[in-house]
Structure formats: structure tokens, C-alpha cells
Amino acid sequence: MKDKWEDVRSELRRAVEKGDFRRRAEIARRIELDNWTAETQFCGRCGSPMKCATEISRVCTSCGHEIFPQLSPAVVVLVKRGEEALLVHNRKFRNNNHALVAGFVETGESAEDCVRREVKEETSLEIKNVRYIESESWPFPGQLMMGFTAEYAGGEISFADGELDCGGFFSREDMPPVPDVASLSGRIIEAWRKGIL
């Protein structure tokens, strides 16, 4: 399975590097529908086998219950403090890359509220002026990743929940390794590095 995801990430990276975002969307859709089909073989209501109804729906062969792919919305946020940006390292990363604070939107929560909560939970920092930038399908699996910027409003960095093991505010001239532009996090960091954000 690991090799499959690495192949998909490589394919996505090539599409992004070529500026072929339509191809990137096609790849993400294909992978997500493959994942969803594999995970929805049986009806969640009665347990009977499901069959394809349309490209994006499955229907129960017994009770007729129809389902559609569901997404897990998630956020990434570039927190700016003057000319510096907050970059963090997740303890699950297999390399030394630092990325943006990220997390899943919880039930009943807006994306902006999620940004504020995740930054507070993961770093103990307060932020303000949360602004949406862009989103992407991130089929690893079923995520809709939404990118934001925010401004530092106060506090000292403390990695309270154990998900992150290090990080801090970095200048454009003194950055640790970061993800490449195949990911939304990498593209946002690169846009900041170039002075676009």
C-alpha cells in the first residue's frame, strides 16, 4: 500500500510541476473513487452487498439505500508573525520536513473555527485575521484540504497535544526543509517564501 501512495504522490507532483491542474484533479478523483468503492462493498443499514448506481453513487441490492462519497474536510494554515512564518514538524513525518499546522474540521465547526482551534491545541498560540486561500482534493483518502493564512496574536509556542515535536517561526532566508509543491502546504509555503502571501 505504501508504494501505491508513493506512486500517486509522484504522479500528482508531476502534474503540479507541469501546471496541469486538470490532470491533478483527474488523478485525485480516480484514486478517491477507487478508495471509496473498496470501502463500500456492503450496506451500512442492512449489511447486503452494494452495487454501482452511477460513477459517484452505490446502491444496496436489498434495501435500496443509496450512498455517495463523503469527504473529511481538513485545514492547513500559514501563521505569519511579521516577516516570519510558523513551520512545524509532525512526529509522524519520516523526514525532517516542517510544514503548516493542520487538522480535521470537527462536526459543527466552521473551517475558520477549526484553524483557530488547531493552532491553539497544537502550539498554544493565539491567532487573528484568518483568511481562506484555496483548497485541493487530497485523496489519502477522502480529504478536502483547505488552505488559510492567519496572523500571530500572542502566546508562547508549546506543543501541548503531542502531535508535533518541534517547530517555530522562521524567516524566508532561514527555513528548514519543507514539503514540495505537490501538496497545498508546500504551495502555500512557497508562495509565502516568494512574497506572494
Side-chain angles (χ1 to χ4, degrees), residues 62 86 108 150:
S62 180
L86 177 64

Side-chain angles (χ1 to χ4, degrees), residues 66-138:
E66 188 173 14
I67 61 170
F68 298 85
Q70 294 186 357
L71 297 176
S72 298
V75 300
V76 293
V77 56
L78 176 80
V79 178
K80 298 183 282 186
R81 184 178 72 180
E83 293 299 311
E84 297 176 317
L86 177 64
L87 301 173
V88 295
H89 183 268
N90 188 307
R91 68 176 59 255
K92 294 180 183 176
F93 287 174
R94 293 179 304 226
N95 54 35
N96 193 35
N97 278 358
H98 284 56
L100 304 179
V101 172
F104 287 98
V105 179
E106 294 182 354
T107 302
E109 185 175 53
S110 73
E112 292 81 1
D113 287 342
C114 176
V115 167
R116 286 184 279 272
R117 177 184 54 77
E118 285 290 343
V119 171
K120 182 70 172 173
E121 283 180 1
E122 293 185 8
T123 68
S124 302
L125 297 177
E126 299 288 342
I127 58 171
K128 62 183 179 181
N129 299 329
V130 175
R131 299 283 183 259
Y132 172 79
I133 302 172
E134 65 174 294
S135 65
E136 73 173 352
S137 173
W138 191 245

Side-chain angles (χ1 to χ4, degrees), residues 36-53 56-69:
W36 177 70
T37 299
E39 296 293 323
T40 55
Q41 296 297 307
F42 299 95
C43 179
R45 287 193 178 166
C46 73
S48 298
M50 301 292 282
K51 67 177 184 179
C52 286
I56 60 164
S57 69
R58 294 178 66 76
V59 66
C60 178
T61 57
S62 180
C63 73
H65 177 59
E66 188 173 14
I67 61 170
F68 298 85

